[in-house]
């Protein structure tokens, strides 16, 4: 016996991953517009959003111009767990997916215009922290309690933020700083359902003989009778 229908769907954890990226991109666009309206530099609210990239920071290595130095955010699925006690064994599995939302900032050493100096490593850290701040505030805003997927998503939560060293040579690493947001989402996953088979109708009559022995008289009817 095999599954009779084509498994032609994405699992919920994939949909949530892409929804997180879409939420970030939409809000970055909105925040830039609000910054411009307030007379502020919209670049300070800008992010570049990626999905499932292993080394998006590679775009920084060749020495980006001002546009390319915009902080990078990469959304990827990390682990997927299941809660057997809160699930059913037929259709719905309550799941917990942890996503890594990695934020990368790039900084260049420069004079600050007042006879001082802006160290590149410090500027990279500030850019990384700015990106992390934007991501945290967007995803934990009340509007996204269920990530726009109420009925499928039960809960979302940032469990930790860890600041990381980028694994590249020391000179380049000083220009790039990274942070990893661990983002937990409780949600439902669904599986294909069994298509029931029609059974023959069985009519049973119980009779007792003179000796006390019990007899069954059965009548079978198929769907064509």
């Amino acid at each position: 016996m095999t599954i009779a229908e084509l498994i032609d769907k994405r699992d919920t954890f994939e949909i949530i991953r892409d929804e997180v990226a879409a939420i970030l991109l939409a809000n970055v666009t909105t925040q830039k517009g609000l910054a411009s309206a307030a007379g502020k530099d919209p670049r300070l609210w800008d992010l570049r959003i990626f999905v499932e990239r292993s080394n998006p920071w590679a775009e920084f290595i060749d020495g980006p111009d001002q546009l390319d130095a915009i902080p990078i955010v990469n959304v990827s699925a990390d682990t997927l767990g299941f809660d057997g006690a809160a699930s059913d064994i037929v259709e719905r599995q309550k799941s917990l997916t942890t996503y890594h939302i990695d934020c990368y900032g790039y900084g260049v050493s420069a004079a600050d215009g007042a006879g001082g100096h802006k160290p590149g490593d410090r500027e990279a850290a500030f850019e990384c922290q700015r990106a992390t701040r934007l991501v945290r505030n967007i995803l934990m805003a009340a509007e996204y309690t269920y990530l726009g997927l109420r009925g499928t998503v039960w809960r979302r939560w940032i469990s930790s933020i860890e600041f990381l060293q980028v694994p590249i040579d020391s000179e380049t690493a000083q220009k790039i700083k990274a942070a990893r947001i661990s983002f937990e989402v409780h949600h439902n996953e669904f599986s294909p359902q069994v298509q029931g088979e029609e059974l023959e109708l069985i009519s049973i009559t119980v009779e007792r003989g003179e000796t006390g022995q019990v007899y069954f008289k059965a009548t079978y009817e198929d769907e064509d009778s």
Side-chain angles (χ1 to χ4, degrees):
M1 181 177 180
T2 60
I3 300 172
E5 63 184 42
L6 180 65
I7 302 176
D8 187 19
K9 70 177 184 67
R10 292 191 301 162
D11 273 356
T12 305
F13 84 90
E14 299 170 281
I15 295 171
I16 292 171
R17 177 201 59 205
D18 293 347
E19 182 68 11
V20 168
I23 287 170
L24 293 175
L25 181 59
N27 279 275
V28 163
T29 302
T30 301
Q31 289 295 309
K32 289 166 60 180
L34 292 171
S36 294
K40 298 179 181 293
D41 182 359
R43 186 187 175 282
L44 297 178
W45 282 263
D46 202 2
L47 301 173
R48 288 186 290 164
I49 311 299
F50 294 83
V51 171
E52 296 291 0
R53 288 285 304 277
S54 60
N55 60 339
W57 45 261
E59 299 192 19
F60 290 147
I61 292 179
D62 294 332
D65 58 26
Q66 185 179 25
L67 177 63
D68 292 335
I70 293 169
I72 288 171
V73 174
N74 182 63
V75 182
S76 60
D78 180 55
T79 58
L80 178 61
F82 297 92
D83 183 351
S87 306
D88 67 64
I89 62 174
V90 178
E91 177 185 13
R92 181 190 60 79
Q93 299 86 48
K94 183 183 178 185
S95 307
L96 168 60
T97 299
T98 299
Y99 298 89
H100 284 166
I101 305 175
D102 295 329
C103 304
Y104 301 92
Y106 183 87
V108 179
S109 298
D112 65 5
H117 177 69
K118 293 181 178 180
D121 55 350
R122 187 191 69 182
E123 295 304 304
F126 287 170
E127 287 290 280
C128 171
Q129 291 165 14
R130 177 172 66 81
T132 303
R133 178 174 71 248
L134 281 172
V135 170
R136 189 195 70 79
N137 278 275
I138 290 169
L139 293 180
M140 293 307 296
E143 289 87 343
Y144 299 114
T145 300
Y146 303 102
L147 301 176
L149 298 168
R150 188 163 189 163
T152 298
V153 169
W154 297 22
R155 182 176 187 267
R156 58 88 177 93
W157 188 252
I158 291 176
S159 60
S160 67
I161 299 176
E162 180 183 6
F163 293 94
L164 309 171
Q165 293 296 322
V166 180
I168 50 182
D169 66 86
S170 58
E171 181 179 354
T172 308
Q174 291 179 0
K175 300 178 181 179
I176 304 174
K177 297 297 182 181
R180 169 163 289 174
I181 298 173
S182 294
F183 188 57
E184 297 181 349
V185 182
H186 296 259
H187 60 92
N188 289 323
E189 289 288 0
F190 299 94
S191 54
Q193 298 307 293
V194 174
Q195 299 297 322
E197 297 181 2
E198 294 189 6
L199 300 177
E200 294 181 336
L201 297 177
I202 305 175
S203 176
I204 299 176
T205 302
V206 179
E207 294 187 357
R208 186 184 301 274
E210 292 182 356
T211 62
Q213 184 175 348
V214 175
Y215 297 89
F216 292 94
K217 288 186 178 181
T219 303
Y220 299 89
E221 299 178 8
D222 61 32
E223 60 181 0
D224 298 324
S225 63

